[in-house]
Amino acid sequence: MIDLHTHTTASDGRLTPRELVRAAARAGVTVLSVTDHDTADGLPESLDEGAASGVRVVPGVELSAHSGGADIHILGYFIAAAEPGLAALFEALRGSRRDRVYRMVEALRSAGVRLDVEDVWAEAAGGTVSRTHVARAMVHRGIVPTMGRAFDRWLGRGAPAYVPSNALSPVEAIRRIRAAGGVPVLAHPVLLPDDGIIPGLVRDGIEGIEVFCREARPSEVERYARIARDFGLLMTGGSDFHGETRFGGDLGEIDCPAEHFARLEARASSSGCVRPAPAP
Ligand code: AMP
Ligand code: MN
Ligand code: MN
Ligand code: MN
């Protein structure tokens, strides 16, 4: 079983990297990519536990980019996490995510909801802070009954405390992943406002598309597989496991077919260490 999309406490997952890898081993996952939001901090422990548990851990990341009002998540596989450009990007994103929490808390306050930023930092516990942590803090404070309610009523697009994630463009996200030897893949295309965004991402250098994801119905999997073939893109798949049943899937719920993982791996190893951006 191959699961190429998972989160840990280094971002908004519930399990520590070690717990995640152990849970994956129990679930029968043999190849696991740890793809935390905007950080590689969970990778050393994941790789260490992978070696101990007999799970092959693929170093990954999920970058949040933003374009034309749409959130575009770009997965990066086989990244060299210590590459200075990538490390600098993570640091910059950490700062902009913190600023965003202040703005969300301020927007909540303007709407008459009192939440302390300290509550949010406590939820994130030093990892990449996201709306997930704001939502958890709101549940813990009794402001909303569930995280889903926090997103629908307050934090989701168009809601009173919605603040877009950051100014990272998809082309920049793709460039940084390639420069760190990684293979950039469009995450959960089914969540995009429309498929019209995809050709531009291909021009920007995207190399794969997450065809197998839990939000996609069989007809949608078929559609993205066709798009992948038309544009010559790699196909990947994963559960987007967060350790919470209400958002993301279960470990191994989505199995990336081995032939597609083999192509991804071949692409990464054929590219050497630094992958230049494509000519414009
Ligand atoms: P952010 O990166 O701060 O924009 O937060 C986005 C994260 O919120 C995603 O990675 C999901 O894990 C989580 N999320 C998005 N929508 C929902 C929802 N309706 N319920 C629970 N979690 C959600
Ligand atoms: Mn998440
Ligand atoms: Mn995502
Ligand atoms: Mn994800």
Side-chain angles (χ1 to χ4, degrees):
M1 198 126 61
I2 300 176
D3 189 338
L4 300 179
H5 188 157
T6 61
H7 296 275
T8 77
T9 48
S11 64
D12 59 354
R14 286 284 193 189
L15 304 186
T16 66
R18 198 168 298 286
E19 289 166 345
L20 170 72
V21 175
R22 287 183 180 161
R26 282 196 300 275
V29 173
T30 50
V31 180
L32 177 78
S33 189
V34 177
T35 54
D36 275 309
H37 300 287
D38 299 347
T39 185
D41 287 353
L43 296 182
E45 187 179 308
S46 302
L47 290 159
D48 185 65
E49 184 57 39
S53 305
V55 175
R56 178 164 176 208
V57 173
V58 173
V61 70
E62 181 177 17
L63 292 178
S64 295
H66 209 74
S67 175
D71 283 317
I72 300 175
H73 290 184
I74 311 283
L75 295 157
Y77 290 114
F78 296 100
I79 51 164
E83 191 273 326
L86 198 56
L89 176 65
F90 293 155
E91 207 41 52
L93 295 175
R94 176 188 287 274
S96 70
R97 278 181 170 277
R98 286 181 70 91
D99 292 346
R100 177 171 172 244
V101 169
Y102 284 106
R103 292 202 282 148
M104 283 190 275
V105 166
E106 192 48 50
L108 286 169
R109 199 171 294 250
S110 306
V113 175
R114 288 188 62 88
L115 187 73
D116 201 311
V117 283
E118 294 302 329
D119 293 340
V120 182
W121 307 148
E123 295 290 344
T128 298
V129 70
S130 70
R131 282 182 290 167
T132 309
H133 304 106
V134 180
R136 285 183 195 152
M138 292 177 81
V139 172
H140 284 167
R141 285 278 160 194
I143 297 165
V144 286
T146 63
M147 289 179 58
R149 179 73 184 150
F151 274 86
D152 292 347
R153 174 70 182 85
W154 298 107
L155 307 173
R157 178 176 306 282
Y162 176 73
V163 180
S165 66
N166 57 56
L168 184 69
S169 65
V171 68
E172 182 69 3
I174 290 166
R175 193 181 71 74
R176 298 288 192 129
I177 288 168
R178 291 174 71 119
V183 182
V185 171
L186 173 63
H188 41 61
V190 69
L191 299 185
L192 291 176
D194 74 276
D195 293 351
I197 292 173
I198 296 172
L201 294 173
V202 173
R203 282 192 294 278
D204 290 342
I206 202 90
E207 295 182 64
I209 180 167
E210 193 179 45
V211 167
F212 312 101
C213 68
R214 70 190 281 277
E215 295 91 349
R217 295 190 300 264
S219 65
E220 291 169 320
V221 169
E222 206 21 71
R223 186 167 97 234
Y224 291 112
R226 197 175 330 115
I227 288 173
R229 281 191 293 271
D230 288 349
F231 288 99
L233 298 173
L234 300 162
M235 301 188 213
T236 70
S239 64
D240 206 3
F241 177 75
H242 281 72
E244 260 158 335
T245 49
R246 282 169 190 280
F247 193 84
D250 266 331
L251 280 170
E253 181 180 331
I254 299 292
D255 184 16
C256 178
E259 69 200 88
H260 294 300
F261 175 67
R263 288 192 192 117
L264 175 70
E265 194 182 8
R267 180 72 59 90
S269 57
S270 71
S271 65
C273 190
V274 174
R275 303 165 57 76

